[in-house]
Amino acid sequence: IDAIGIKGRSSSATANVRCQDSSSHGYLAISAESSMRYKHDIADISDDRLNPERLYDLPIRQFVYNLDYLDVNDQRYGETVCGFIAEEIANVYPVACEYNADGVPENWDIRYVIPPMLSLIQKQHQEIESLKQEFTSLEQKVNQLIN
């Protein structure tokens, strides 16, 4: 697609189609699908750069967007919000960082943050379930000793 200020761009980091103004010029992003038909070398996470535990080191920040960044009618205009900082994503979990044409961190992509977050939740759930079973077992042993 050709349009003034927009260049065609394909990305595996976008959901469907997105137009974005990135500082000096905009772009049109067309997504890659998520089906296994479009992927190969599918495996459990073994690459340390993708280790979900790295997300524990990712600061969650509060901030106010610059007043010239948001439209005055935006519900977050002048409001304190929470989120991530692209530069910190680049340092902690670089696969989730999106860069502008100059190679500077510009944004982060939820598509590469949610799966490792879910992995952490799943592991924590398993640990909780295991601890609950251990507690129940210990509780039963204590009750047997008391009775």
Side-chain angles (χ1 to χ4, degrees):
I1 296 175
D2 290 325
I4 297 172
I6 297 176
K7 61 182 178 181
R9 179 170 160 169
S10 175
S11 170
S12 63
T14 58
N16 300 321
V17 176
R18 176 179 72 203
C19 292
Q20 180 172 335
D21 178 17
S22 76
S23 311
S24 59
H25 56 279
Y27 65 83
L28 176 65
I30 302 168
S31 74
E33 302 299 333
S34 192
S35 171
M36 68 186 317
R37 298 187 311 270
Y38 308 112
K39 301 171 183 175
H40 64 281
D41 296 335
I42 299 169
D44 290 339
I45 296 172
S46 62
D47 187 329
D48 188 54
R49 295 172 303 148
L50 302 176
N51 183 347
E53 292 187 5
R54 294 178 69 137
L55 293 178
Y56 287 133
D57 298 327
L58 186 59
I60 295 110
R61 304 292 191 178
Q62 77 171 39
F63 51 87
V64 178
Y65 283 105
N66 294 341
L67 295 181
D68 63 346
Y69 179 73
L70 296 178
D71 183 86
V72 296
N73 296 315
D74 189 294
Q75 69 184 32
R76 293 170 192 89
Y77 184 84
E79 295 292 324
T80 302
V81 297
C82 65
F84 299 127
I85 305 299
E87 290 81 357
E88 292 173 339
I89 289 274
N91 290 331
V92 175
Y93 210 74
V95 71
C97 187
E98 294 181 353
Y99 298 86
N100 66 19
D102 298 324
V104 176
E106 188 73 27
N107 199 3
W108 61 276
D109 195 298
I110 194 169
R111 188 174 186 157
Y112 296 102
V113 175
I114 295 296
M117 283 181 167
L118 180 57
S119 175
L120 293 174
I121 292 168
Q122 290 170 336
K123 286 179 186 175
Q124 290 169 355
H125 176 72
Q126 289 172 350
E127 289 176 30
I128 289 168
E129 291 302 312
S130 175
L131 288 170
K132 284 164 69 174
Q133 288 177 359
E134 186 177 339
F135 176 78
T136 300
S137 175
L138 290 171
E139 186 177 44
Q140 289 172 351
K141 287 178 184 178
V142 168
N143 286 336
Q144 288 174 355
L145 291 173
I146 292 174
N147 296 330

